[in-house]
Amino acid sequence: MCGIVGYIGTRQAAPIILDGLAKLEYRGYDSAGMAIYDGEEIHITKSVGRLKVLEELTHGGATMPGMIGIGHTRWATHGAPNDINAHPHYNSEHTIAVVHNGIIENYLQLKKKLTDRGYEFVSETDTEILAQMLDYYYTGNPIETIAKVMHRVEGSYALGIIFADHPDEVFAVRKDSPLIVGQSVDGCFIASDVPAVLKYTRQVYFVENEEIVRLRADHMHFYNVDVEEIAKAPVTIEWDANAAEKAGYEHFMLKEMYEQPKTIRETLSPRLRDRDVVIDELQMSVEDIRAVRKFHIVACGSAYHAGVTAKYVIEGLARIPVEVDLASEFRYRDPILEEGAMVIVVSQSGETADTLAALREAKKRGFPVLGIVNVVGSSIAREADRVMYTWAGPEIAVATTKAYSAQLIAFYLLAVKFAKVREQITEKEFQGMLEELQRLPNQIELLLNNKGKIQKFANRYLAAKDVFFIGRGIDYAISLEGSLKLKEISYVHSEAYAAGELKHGTISLIEEGTLVAAVSTQPDLYQKTISNMVEVKARGAFVLAVTNEDNREIERAADYVIYIPQTNPFFANSLAIIPLQLFGYYVAVGKGCDVDKPRNLAKSVTVE
Ligand code: G6P
């Protein structure tokens, strides 16, 4: 959500910025712009639409010479997505330029104050207020001025700033929005995320909350909000830049779906040792594990759906009560956390604003927080008491697939570990589960290889208006994610229902030909779900079933069946979700949608 790239060095800045912004496209945006300083003036070019428009306007950056610059992809919050509201923003004199990711909450109050002092504004954005505030408080010392502004603004921000009277420097600062800086032999970089700079450097610094950075062509200095210089250590990024490229696949989403077997192996293998589950990062003794009275799982989007699955798996295996909350609800509902509760926040990006706020809320109340996080060094990873990484590597497509699959694995590991330590399962059952977990990657490969069949089926539903996903228990959790995948990338309206709830309203929406996807992987519930399938079929629905190989009886109630290999019912989500991801993907491809960057959505939702 909003991408920032900045550069200062010995090369032309504009092409580097365009290239970096392209690497951040996955974050979601509706307009793009750059400010380039040629030593005399700060020039800004910006436009609504894709980055391609900005590239064309500037001939790939060639029409904007200069070795200092900041660029931005905007995801509109304050004011419509248009050329004027696009970033960067100037102060009135055009001597300061700013790009911003985040939201300034007291912007109306600040705007009034500045308006009373004669400032005029051209855009509807909160960012322009920052540019004018920097102007208002400007002392000639940028770090001092930035700190003054920081004391007055409320909200979240990551900023890149250029001051015309400091022609050898660029500035960066952050609070609650992600920002990294890095250095190469040719210059220094600012970025919202690592992929933007990986081509140039692997040594990056994660800018912490309320830290200010002064970047020069050949070095960087860090300051706290009291304008004291601070020392920071770089982090070496181990993953390859190629990991963030498409590698011959038509879309990142398809590539990432194909990476799921590898992701699962990598999330599992470091934690399976000597026929045991060893989760060092939990830092919990047998006594600690036995002392847990309740889990609170908090997350957004697909990570929340992984949490809904985890409720069934942890309660079923370890017999520990689990509450699952959407982070945006948890943070404001004054949740009751009692002694023995452990909070688990789940996030691919580690930057989701609501999830981060929920983590802080739990910590404030003195409860230990475990983060299940994919992005190393992200805000949630840094602030959680303990972190269990999902080793999915960079995920670029907005709609998550492999990170979601890795989150499920992290939860299965926790569930079997707790179940064993708390003696809820026998050693034999435990060993059987470990074997089943290790079989999942190969089973997923089989399902992925069946993609042609699902593509054909998806092509029949390109004109669908509504699709319903139904299931019970874990199958309901799978339905939630299957439905989200379809709607977010193909724009087909879709809902997930607990199959038993159908009769309480939804069944009235079933018409001749409505597609209903019934997920049925839980043997104890086969008959119940079949009854629901029969009910919708009797009202004209076309029923697609996703079920286990042994459930041939389902053919009497389904029009089309996708079979998944046999596994432990607690782990069935990992298999059943594959055809549903493929279905959503192929409907979107068939409709010509922008699969990796669906409209209005952002990969990393860093504002509330
Ligand atoms: C966005 C993404 C989803 C993701 C959700 C939570 O909506 O499009 O794919 O599940 O944010 O993100 P997180 O990074 O916290 O897992």
Side-chain angles (χ1 to χ4, degrees):
M1 190 165 260
C2 293
I4 291 179
V5 178
Y7 172 75
I8 177 162
T10 52
R11 296 170 59 184
Q12 290 299 314
I16 291 177
I17 290 169
L18 285 170
D19 181 62
L21 289 177
K23 299 284 187 306
L24 299 180
E25 274 194 297
Y26 70 87
R27 297 171 68 83
Y29 69 102
D30 42 53
S31 51
M34 309 187 263
I36 304 293
Y37 190 22
D38 64 9
E40 284 176 16
E41 272 178 68
I42 304 174
H43 300 277
I44 288 182
T45 308
K46 53 188 186 174
S47 168
V48 70
R50 290 285 173 212
L51 204 51
K52 204 159 42 94
V53 181
L54 184 65
E55 271 166 14
E56 281 163 12
L57 280 174
T58 62
H59 297 269
T63 59
M64 297 187 79
M67 289 180 275
I68 300 176
I70 49 179
H72 189 263
T73 43
R74 172 175 188 248
W75 191 88
T77 56
H78 294 67
N82 59 32
D83 291 358
I84 295 176
N85 290 331
H87 297 206
H89 289 279
Y90 280 130
N91 63 336
S92 305
E93 310 288 308
H94 292 195
T95 52
I96 300 172
V98 180
V99 288
H100 169 212
N101 172 18
I103 287 183
I104 304 303
E105 284 163 5
N106 58 341
Y107 87 108
L108 284 174
Q109 201 186 321
L110 298 170
K111 188 169 186 173
K112 182 171 182 316
K113 176 174 165 174
L114 290 166
T115 311
D116 290 348
R117 284 161 179 73
Y119 280 88
E120 285 175 11
F121 296 86
V122 293
S123 77
E124 300 157 272
T125 65
D126 49 346
T127 307
E128 193 183 2
I129 282 132
L130 290 173
Q132 298 285 34
M133 278 187 80
L134 288 164
D135 178 286
Y136 180 68
Y137 288 106
Y138 195 54
T139 59
N141 176 336
I143 301 289
E144 215 175 80
T145 309
I146 292 168
K148 275 193 177 176
V149 170
M150 286 165 77
H151 288 303
R152 286 162 178 87
V153 297
E154 286 162 21
S156 58
Y157 49 84
L159 305 177
I161 312 166
I162 302 177
F163 293 89
D165 63 351
H166 284 257
D168 304 323
E169 295 174 330
V170 176
F171 299 87
V173 56
R174 87 166 264 232
K175 179 175 166 274
D176 293 341
S177 291
L179 197 71
I180 59 127
V181 292
Q183 185 169 358
S184 79
V185 283
D186 298 327
C188 292
F189 302 82
I190 305 170
S192 298
D193 199 358
V194 173
V197 304
L198 257 194
K199 197 163 145 186
Y200 311 100
T201 180
R202 285 176 173 280
Q203 296 281 306
V204 305
Y205 297 81
F206 289 93
V207 182
E208 296 290 339
N209 261 351
E210 305 202 321
E211 284 179 2
I212 311 169
V213 195
R214 179 200 295 269
L215 298 96
R216 294 198 161 179
D218 55 359
H219 65 261
M220 294 185 280
H221 291 279
F222 298 88
Y223 302 86
N224 63 20
V225 71
D226 298 320
V227 197
E228 292 156 349
E229 190 158 353
I230 49 176
K232 277 180 80 76
V235 173
T236 307
I237 301 299
E238 303 290 354
W239 42 272
D240 205 289
N242 286 335
E245 305 287 346
K246 268 191 239 165
Y249 286 91
E250 197 182 342
H251 297 102
F252 280 114
M253 185 174 171
L254 187 62
K255 175 183 174 240
E256 288 159 6
M257 282 192 276
Y258 269 86
E259 285 170 351
Q260 291 181 110
K262 176 170 171 267
T263 293
I264 291 180
R265 284 189 194 104
E266 288 182 3
T267 304
L268 272 179
S269 58
R271 290 146 181 151
L272 295 184
R273 274 182 249 154
D274 305 328
R275 297 167 64 78
D276 197 4
V277 173
V278 184
I279 313 174
D280 293 327
E281 54 280 44
L282 265 187
Q283 300 161 34
M284 285 172 94
S285 66
V286 165
E287 289 68 39
D288 293 337
I289 289 178
R290 289 196 179 132
V292 173
R293 292 280 151 267
K294 189 174 193 175
F295 284 115
H296 288 263
I297 301 176
V298 189
C300 302
S302 298
Y304 168 76
H305 295 160
V308 177
T309 308
K311 175 178 169 66
Y312 293 105
V313 180
I314 296 173
E315 289 190 345
L317 285 174
R319 307 305 296 159
I320 302 171
V322 180
E323 260 189 62
V324 196
D325 269 275
L326 291 163
S328 53
E329 291 294 313
F330 181 90
R331 64 183 290 192
Y332 294 122
R333 78 172 170 87
D334 194 7
I336 300 170
L337 300 179
E338 288 175 322
E339 210 188 315
M342 180 165 168
V343 177
I344 306 183
V345 296
V346 194
S347 177
Q348 185 286 126
S349 62
E351 300 295 347
T352 302
D354 282 320
T355 312
L356 184 57
L359 174 157
R360 290 178 182 160
E361 181 62 34
K363 279 183 76 174
K364 199 169 86 193
R365 292 164 182 237
F367 284 86
V369 178
L370 168 69
I372 296 183
V373 181
N374 193 43
V375 177
V376 176
S378 57
S379 302
I380 294 176
R382 293 200 305 272
E383 293 192 29
D385 299 296
R386 301 148 210 179
V387 186
M388 196 172 164
Y389 281 111
T390 50
W391 299 113
E395 193 178 58
I396 308 295
V398 165
T400 179
T401 52
K402 63 173 180 170
Y404 168 79
S405 283
Q407 288 160 357
L408 292 177
I409 297 296
F411 277 125
Y412 300 160
L413 286 169
L414 285 174
V416 293
K417 178 77 191 172
F418 275 67
K420 186 187 159 194
V421 172
R422 295 164 72 110
E423 293 167 11
Q424 294 295 328
I425 52 173
T426 62
E427 179 64 28
K428 191 163 170 248
E429 285 168 327
F430 177 71
Q431 290 305 329
M433 285 177 198
L434 298 195
E435 278 166 27
E436 275 157 329
L437 285 175
Q438 291 175 90
R439 271 203 293 274
L440 288 174
N442 288 344
Q443 293 175 318
I444 291 175
E445 260 152 31
L446 287 175
L447 287 162
L448 287 166
N449 291 340
N450 210 8
K451 68 177 194 312
K453 186 177 167 199
I454 292 163
Q455 182 171 19
K456 262 196 213 137
F457 182 80
N459 283 338
R460 285 162 54 181
Y461 281 92
L462 302 183
K465 290 267 169 296
D466 307 285
V467 177
F468 298 97
F469 290 75
I470 60 169
R472 291 169 181 259
I474 288 180
D475 293 333
Y476 170 54
I478 300 170
S479 299
L480 287 170
E481 178 60 8
S483 166
L484 178 63
K485 283 286 92 66
L486 176 67
K487 85 174 98 177
E488 64 184 344
I489 56 174
S490 74
Y491 317 141
V492 174
H493 169 249
S494 153
E495 307 261 352
Y497 283 94
E501 266 298 293
L502 269 177
K503 287 207 240 3
H504 300 285
T506 316
I507 203 156
S508 68
L509 298 172
I510 305 296
E511 292 174 352
E512 197 56 39
T514 304
L515 177 61
V516 175
V519 185
S520 181
T521 67
Q522 305 296 302
D524 294 353
L525 299 166
Y526 281 168
Q527 292 309 325
K528 296 283 170 201
T529 306
I530 287 182
S531 303
N532 297 125
M533 291 162 67
V534 170
E535 284 159 9
V536 290
K537 202 168 146 74
R539 286 156 181 88
F542 186 95
V543 182
L544 160 73
V546 178
T547 194
N548 303 326
E549 275 163 357
D550 69 350
N551 187 16
R552 298 281 158 173
E553 202 195 329
I554 207 161
E555 290 181 13
R556 73 177 167 85
D559 296 292
Y560 196 91
V561 184
I562 296 168
Y563 288 105
I564 60 165
Q566 226 52 51
T567 185
N568 185 306
F570 285 113
F571 309 149
N573 188 340
S574 293
L575 302 180
I577 198 59
I578 305 297
L580 299 183
Q581 292 172 342
L582 286 165
F583 176 66
Y585 172 76
Y586 281 118
V587 173
V589 170
K591 289 182 68 179
C593 298
D594 193 348
V595 175
D596 287 334
K597 294 180 289 269
R599 69 183 180 208
N600 304 338
L601 295 180
K603 179 73 183 161
S604 173
V605 181
T606 51
V607 296
E608 194 176 342

